[in-house]
Amino acid sequence: MNRRLKTLLIKTRRQVFSEMIGNNPSLFHGEGYDFSELREYQIGDDIRKIDWTITAKLQKPYVKIFHEERELNVVVACMMGGSLFFGTDRIKQEVVTEISAILGYSAVKNGDLYTGVTVTEGSVESERPTKRIFAVNRFVERVDTMNLLGRRADYEEGLRQLFRRIKRRSLLFVVGDFLAPVDMALLSKRHEVIAVIVRDRFEEFPRPMGQVHLVDPETGATLQTHFGERSVKKYRARIVAGDKALYRHLHRHRIRFVKIYTDEEPFAKMVKLFGGRV
């Protein structure tokens, strides 16, 4: 493990285990609940919890009472491709690494099961579910050291494989740059899905650079071109259109999401996403 990664892990562990105490026990809490009992409706109860079948039989409104599951199954799926090998402040792969560590340490702190998954074209590799820090560190190191050049993040087949493989209802984080079209409709029916979008500001707001030599990190293809005002405008329009389609899809299927840029602090953005829970 190199010095940079060791420093990152120390910083992340301090953030998760030390900085947030008292009434903030975990970065996330479960959406899964176990049925406990039925009782007669009281003023102030959530009407969505009314059991209409029992209400009709007894001619009085009854509500279902649930208790929250103690143990969550937290799955972090990193969509690994050559496009992550880019960044002006630091490369996106490093940010994905840090996010994986934050979520892993948070799961361990909360006593939840953590499963790390890497998804590339033609390959979905999964760690065993764990509650141990050393296993989280091992997965984080794999994400950090993976050679991405020449690889493509296959969102279509990768998400399909995740649906087949993850049987138990989970809190599923899909982490990637989401520059390719995605369809998480099926996943969102079985799991609570959260999209973590990692971007570099330059790829969303590029500036004219004149004559440039471009290399596609996924295919290795090269291109000599003039990247001027007109090219920037066309490129920017494609990015905006792609993101609009992505946000529509996420909203339609009630998938929460957060966008983290390479010059931002991932921990702060994740805390904000979960309303201050760490």
Side-chain angles (χ1 to χ4, degrees):
M1 186 180 293
N2 61 51
R3 178 178 289 185
R4 176 188 55 78
L5 181 56
K6 285 181 180 178
T7 302
L8 183 147
L9 292 179
I10 291 170
K11 180 193 81 169
T12 304
R13 284 181 67 173
R14 185 180 296 118
Q15 288 174 325
V16 173
F17 287 96
S18 302
E19 293 190 3
M20 303 299 291
I21 58 175
N23 295 322
N24 298 289
S26 176
L27 180 64
F28 32 74
H29 62 97
E31 289 290 324
Y33 294 86
D34 285 337
F35 174 72
S36 177
E37 61 176 314
L38 277 170
R39 68 162 167 78
E40 196 169 340
Y41 176 84
Q42 298 175 2
I43 295 175
D45 285 340
D46 188 345
I47 61 172
R48 292 174 298 180
K49 294 180 180 177
I50 292 177
D51 187 317
W52 295 106
T53 303
I54 299 299
T55 296
K57 286 181 180 179
L58 300 180
Q59 296 298 301
K60 287 182 180 179
Y62 275 77
V63 294
K64 290 181 178 180
I65 304 301
F66 298 85
H67 64 79
E68 189 174 346
E69 292 179 348
R70 273 195 78 177
E71 183 180 85
L72 287 170
N73 192 46
V74 180
V75 180
V76 177
C78 300
M79 313 302 289
M80 307 297 289
S83 62
L84 292 182
F85 195 76
F86 176 83
T88 51
D89 187 73
R90 56 175 174 159
I91 65 171
K92 291 183 283 182
Q93 184 177 6
E94 292 179 18
V95 180
V96 172
T97 298
E98 186 169 348
I99 292 166
S100 301
I102 291 169
L103 296 173
Y105 291 151
S106 296
V108 170
K109 177 184 177 182
N110 202 40
D112 297 323
L113 282 171
Y114 174 80
T115 305
V117 184
T118 54
V119 181
T120 58
E121 188 173 21
S123 173
V124 177
E125 296 185 19
S126 175
E127 296 277 333
R128 289 180 178 274
T130 185
K131 293 184 179 181
R132 300 190 177 189
I133 284 180
F134 81 86
V136 173
N137 290 346
R138 184 178 60 209
F139 173 72
V140 169
E141 186 175 13
R142 177 151 68 89
V143 172
D144 186 70
T145 58
M146 184 177 287
N147 182 10
L148 300 183
L149 294 178
R151 296 192 181 198
R152 185 171 70 90
D154 190 343
Y155 281 81
E156 183 178 357
E157 180 58 27
L159 295 174
R160 194 178 296 124
Q161 287 291 333
L162 288 175
F163 180 77
R164 293 195 192 111
R165 293 185 180 209
I166 307 172
K167 303 297 184 184
R168 178 183 169 188
R169 178 170 173 80
S170 303
L171 181 58
L172 172 59
F173 293 87
V174 181
V175 187
D177 55 21
F178 289 84
L179 293 174
V182 298
D183 184 354
M184 295 191 285
L186 277 177
L187 278 174
S188 66
K189 292 182 184 298
R190 178 180 291 175
H191 309 289
E192 182 190 357
V193 181
I194 297 172
V196 184
I197 306 165
V198 178
R199 295 277 179 86
D200 188 88
R201 294 188 192 277
F202 186 81
E203 64 189 351
E204 290 191 2
F205 305 98
R207 61 180 182 274
M209 295 180 290
Q211 196 69 22
V212 293
H213 179 81
L214 302 176
V215 180
D216 187 333
E218 293 187 342
T219 65
T222 62
L223 175 67
Q224 292 274 3
T225 186
H226 182 79
F227 199 68
E229 292 281 357
R230 225 168 132 188
S231 299
V232 168
K233 191 174 181 180
K234 285 183 181 179
Y235 171 85
R236 176 81 183 126
R238 288 180 61 184
I239 289 290
V240 169
D243 279 354
K244 283 183 177 178
L246 172 63
Y247 299 151
R248 280 197 303 269
H249 176 74
L250 297 176
H251 285 304
R252 184 183 307 125
H253 298 287
R254 298 181 180 180
I255 297 172
R256 283 185 289 170
F257 67 93
V258 60
K259 181 182 283 188
I260 302 174
Y261 290 101
T262 56
D263 62 352
E264 290 184 313
E265 180 56 59
F267 184 78
K269 295 296 289 283
M270 297 302 291
V271 169
K272 187 176 180 181
L273 172 68
F274 286 95
R277 289 184 177 85
V278 175

